[in-house]
Amino acid sequence: MSEPSIFTRILQGEIPGEILIETENVFAIRDINPQAPLHVLVIPKTEQYRDVTELAAGDPALLAEVVAVAKRIAVEHANGEYRLIFNNGPSAGQSVFHVHGHVLGDIEENKLVGF
Ligand code: 5GP
């Protein structure tokens, strides 16, 4: 069994992190290094899927729940509009291999980050 991911350790309260939403299957935390006024990570509780490609193939309903929670975050913490970014693989910027979507909101004009 490999070590729990950094996100699982936050969920379990082992390391600090602000959990904004927790459902049966999904949780959402503020990113430690925000790239927009609102930058939240939406994460399935299971570590079974490394990236969104695996998640979409393995559990489409869980992916749909991730998207629904992303929208909820945008409504509750920004103006309801949001970018949802999944990095897939190290060369695409992925550093944590426990699938997560980046929810970016309240983005200032001409400041769409490309990370
Ligand atoms: P990735 O690069 O895999 O798409 O995204 C990983 C994200 O996790 C990064 O945006 C990074 O800032 C965030 N992150 C890494 N370590 C921590 C942490 O300990 N706490 C929180 N809240 N976010 C983290």
Side-chain angles (χ1 to χ4, degrees), residues 8-78:
T8 298
R9 294 177 66 200
I10 291 171
L11 179 65
Q12 292 174 344
E14 267 179 50
I15 53 175
E18 189 186 347
I19 298 177
L20 299 181
I21 291 180
E22 181 175 354
T23 69
E24 191 186 340
N25 302 310
V26 171
F27 62 109
I29 59 174
R30 284 195 195 275
D31 197 291
I32 204 170
N33 181 24
Q35 303 296 313
L38 178 74
H39 186 170
V40 171
L41 305 172
V42 182
I43 309 159
K45 288 183 177 174
T46 176
E47 291 196 26
Q48 189 178 345
Y49 307 106
R50 284 167 59 87
D51 59 35
V52 73
T53 311
E54 287 188 4
L55 176 60
D59 194 341
L62 183 54
L63 175 57
E65 194 176 337
V66 167
V67 175
V69 169
K71 174 66 179 175
R72 211 180 123 193
I73 290 287
V75 168
E76 291 178 8
H77 296 274

Side-chain angles (χ1 to χ4, degrees), residues 6-7 10 15-17 29-33 39 41 87 93-97 100 102 115:
I6 189 95
F7 301 146
I10 291 171
I15 53 175
I29 59 174
R30 284 195 195 275
D31 197 291
I32 204 170
N33 181 24
H39 186 170
L41 305 172
N87 296 323
Q94 188 175 8
S95 58
V96 179
F97 297 90
H100 54 282
H102 296 254
F115 75 106

